[in-house]
């Protein structure tokens, strides 16, 4: 039995539907939590999808999508991440739902990285928040309406336990064969190393990182969670601009983090790091709040 047959239709009285994929890792779930919290904190009554809309879009179930969306006058919000132009299932979800949106319906895709454009996002009803400058250029050049807003997870900075300092290094490292972003960057370190934010729930990620002083990470949210804990963080490259451009866009001035793509640079860069003291919540809200107002004011 599929989700569509088990669930009621979405509540038409909601201000917004939040669309998100349950197939993601710890970072994706943290982003979805942040999206919901952010909208509710701004007075927007949001219904977080139970999975039925996403399932219908992937199955091409126009009957269910029409029944769910044809009378809905609120906004369609899509959770953030790093999957525009790279993961077909996420593209299919966005395309299927946007295709069944009403002509005047506003659609917001929360902060994303992008490898390439998606036809469904080149639509006057759609705004995409890009979480790094390179992704902004990719989508803007394709004709998508865009805003530059940091990663949604940073909105959770005030609720993540602060555990600065510690002893030693932990390496959050992508395991082979799990995604399309992994590269052999040639960086190794004699320390505990797992694909931590892929394999574990959020509370276990926190408890695992808590004893360490430094975190190396080629997963963006492995590094961002560690930064929000106030660990010293070294970000490492992936197969496209995602982590490098995010660092260069937002984190260059943060003394607690650096980006390294050569193992020979690691010791000196790590020695220069200091406990981060950035207010990531403020950083996020300074960009997100004006962008949200512009989106809401559109007619």
């Amino acid at each position: 039995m599929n989700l569509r047959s088990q669930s009621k239709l979405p509540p038409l009285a909601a201000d917004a539907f939040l669309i998100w994929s349950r197939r993601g890792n710890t970072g994706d779930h943290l982003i979805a939590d942040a999206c919901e919290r952010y909208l509710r904190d701004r007075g927007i009554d949001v219904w977080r999808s139970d999975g039925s809309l996403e399932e219908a879009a992937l199955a091409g179930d126009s009957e269910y999508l029409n029944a769910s969306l044809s009378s809905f006058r609120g906004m369609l919000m899509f959770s953030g991440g790093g999957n525009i132009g790279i993961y077909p299932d996420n593209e299919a979800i966005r395309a299927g739902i946007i295709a069944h949106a009403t002509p005047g319906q506003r659609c917001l895709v929360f902060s994303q990285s992008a490898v390439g454009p998606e036809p469904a996002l080149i639509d006057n009803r759609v705004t995409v928040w890009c979480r790094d400058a390179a992704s902004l250029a990719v989508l803007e050049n394709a004709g998508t309406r865009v805003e530059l807003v940091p990663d949604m997870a940073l909105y959770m900075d005030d609720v993540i336990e602060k555990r600065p300092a510690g002893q030693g290094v932990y390496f959050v490292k992508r395991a082979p064969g799990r995604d399309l972003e992994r590269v052999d960057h040639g960086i190794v370190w004699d320390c505990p190393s797992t694909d931590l934010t892929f394999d574990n729930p959020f509370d276990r990620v926190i408890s695992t990182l808590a004893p360490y002083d430094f975190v190396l990470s080629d997963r963006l949210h492995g590094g961002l969670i560690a930064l929000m804990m106030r660990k010293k963080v070294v970000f490492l490259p992936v197969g496209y601009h995602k982590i490098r451009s995010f660092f260069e866009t937002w984190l260059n001035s943060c003394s607690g983090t650096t980006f390294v793509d050569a193992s020979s640079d690691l010791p000196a860069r790590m020695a220069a790091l200091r406990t981060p003291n950035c207010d990531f919540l403020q950083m996020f809200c300074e960009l997100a709040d004006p962008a949200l107002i512009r989106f809401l004011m559109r007619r």
Side-chain angles (χ1 to χ4, degrees):
M1 183 179 291
N2 60 39
L3 280 169
R4 289 159 282 159
S5 62
Q6 296 178 59
S7 66
K8 298 178 182 178
L9 291 174
L12 297 181
D15 296 327
F17 293 168
L18 176 62
I19 313 303
W20 68 296
S21 174
R22 285 149 181 76
R23 300 180 181 180
N25 56 35
T26 304
D28 298 310
H29 284 253
L30 180 63
I31 286 171
D33 290 345
C35 291
E36 181 178 9
R37 181 187 183 219
Y38 179 72
L39 291 170
R40 292 192 183 282
D41 285 352
R42 267 83 191 143
I44 296 172
D45 177 23
V46 57
W47 175 75
R48 183 165 169 173
S49 175
D50 61 2
S52 52
L53 289 172
E54 297 86 345
E55 180 188 81
L58 289 172
D61 187 343
S62 291
E63 181 178 356
Y64 184 87
L65 292 173
N66 283 329
S68 300
L69 300 175
S70 61
S71 298
F72 179 55
R73 295 297 177 260
M75 299 169 286
L76 296 174
M77 310 289 206
F78 296 83
S79 187
N83 54 55
I84 291 180
I86 189 169
Y87 293 110
D89 55 338
N90 288 281
E91 178 174 0
I93 289 170
R94 285 187 286 266
I97 291 174
I98 290 169
H100 290 83
T102 59
Q105 206 151 39
R106 287 171 291 178
C107 306
L108 176 60
V109 181
F110 282 115
S111 306
Q112 284 270 357
S113 297
V115 181
E118 291 181 6
L121 302 182
I122 306 171
D123 186 313
N124 191 53
R125 297 171 297 173
V126 177
T127 299
V128 178
W129 288 4
C130 296
R131 65 184 181 185
D132 67 89
S135 297
L136 183 86
V138 167
L139 295 187
E140 189 171 41
N141 290 339
T144 301
R145 185 191 299 268
V146 291
E147 295 267 10
L148 186 63
V149 178
D151 189 87
M152 297 300 298
L154 298 183
Y155 189 66
M156 307 297 274
D157 187 34
D158 63 329
V159 298
I160 289 180
E161 181 183 3
K162 305 305 178 232
R163 294 292 296 269
Q167 297 293 322
V169 179
Y170 194 93
F171 194 168
V172 180
K173 186 176 183 180
R174 292 172 186 264
R178 284 186 163 170
D179 57 51
L180 301 174
E181 301 173 36
R182 183 183 182 274
V183 294
D184 183 5
H185 42 58
I187 294 177
V188 296
W189 200 265
D190 185 16
C191 65
S193 176
T194 65
D195 199 350
L196 183 66
T197 57
F198 187 93
D199 290 323
N200 297 282
F202 180 73
D203 57 348
R204 192 171 301 166
V205 172
I206 296 291
S207 64
T208 300
L209 296 180
Y212 296 93
D213 190 22
F214 293 88
V215 174
L216 312 183
S217 184
D218 63 4
R219 284 201 179 273
L220 179 62
H221 290 95
L224 291 183
I225 291 168
L227 273 180
M228 288 188 283
M229 294 173 69
R230 301 305 187 258
K231 301 295 184 185
K232 301 164 190 170
V233 175
V234 178
F235 285 100
L236 306 174
V238 291
Y240 72 108
H241 58 253
K242 179 168 81 173
I243 293 182
R244 181 191 294 272
S245 184
F246 186 89
F247 176 85
E248 292 174 348
T249 304
W250 306 112
L251 299 177
N252 257 324
S253 62
C254 179
S255 61
T257 184
T258 188
F259 178 88
V260 171
D261 55 12
S263 58
S264 58
D265 294 335
L266 264 177
R269 296 281 188 87
M270 290 173 68
L273 293 179
R274 300 293 179 263
T275 299
N277 59 4
C278 299
D279 186 334
F280 297 108
L281 177 62
Q282 180 181 353
M283 173 196 294
F284 175 82
C285 290
E286 284 180 350
L287 279 296
D289 287 346
L292 182 64
I293 290 170
R294 287 189 289 271
F295 173 77
L296 295 175
M297 293 294 289
R298 284 180 52 203
R299 295 290 186 268

